Amino acid sequence: MAEDVRYKNAELYNGNAAYEVAWQEEEQQTSQPQRRRAARRSLHRRYGLSITAVLGVIVVAAMVVLTLMSYAGYTSAAAEAIAVRSQVEELEDANRKLTVAYEAAFDMNEIKEYAQTALGMGQPAADQTGYVKLEAQDSVAICSQDGGDSVLSGITAMIAAAIGR
């Protein structure tokens, strides 16, 4: 069984019917279509930015700014509260001092003794005390004792007091 082998290159025979194995391999390699080498991929892959990532960064930055602003507001409010608290403490201390000074200025025992000895006053008996209940509020109209315009002004004052102004 002889195989009919056709060679592209006739020089493979070299005048001999036997062929060289190296030449046959070379011919087979050249007869196959050559593959193109793929373009070398770059070693660094390019990354793109997504819209959600950009929006997320913006939202986080806004939240950080708002947090810092609220912290600044909190510290200023706390400083004001401390200032007001110290002011209240000072006023309470002044109130205590003034209350003590007021109580020291008026000795009730001295006043009672003065009223009984110099003015002739005494304690009222139980039957001497009476209470009056009024449904309306008390009002006073002061009229001068001059004549003329003062009477007219007194009447208008009484009318104004009756109306409730």
Side-chain angles (χ1 to χ4, degrees), residues 8-80:
K8 290 182 181 180
N9 193 353
E11 293 177 2
L12 292 176
Y13 286 108
N14 265 348
N16 192 348
Y19 57 87
E20 293 269 341
V21 176
W23 290 345
Q24 184 182 12
E25 288 175 0
E26 183 180 312
E27 186 176 326
Q28 285 177 353
Q29 286 177 358
T30 58
S31 67
Q32 292 177 352
Q34 287 192 357
R35 292 187 182 173
R36 291 177 124 190
R37 290 186 108 185
R40 258 197 149 161
R41 293 185 184 171
S42 64
L43 296 177
H44 301 290
R45 183 175 177 190
R46 293 184 182 179
Y47 294 101
L49 291 176
S50 67
I51 293 174
T52 55
V54 172
L55 290 176
V57 168
I58 290 171
V59 167
V60 167
M63 291 174 70
V64 167
V65 168
L66 289 175
T67 302
L68 290 175
M69 289 176 62
S70 66
Y71 183 71
Y74 168 74
T75 54
S76 66
E80 284 182 33

Side-chain angles (χ1 to χ4, degrees), residues 7 15 19 58 66 68-69 77 85-86 100 106 108 110 114 117 121 123 125 129 149:
Y7 297 102
Y19 57 87
I58 290 171
L66 289 175
L68 290 175
M69 289 176 62
R85 184 177 297 146
S86 66
V100 168
F106 296 107
M108 293 305 286
E110 287 180 15
Y114 178 76
T117 56
M121 298 177 146
Q123 289 285 342
T129 307
D149 290 332

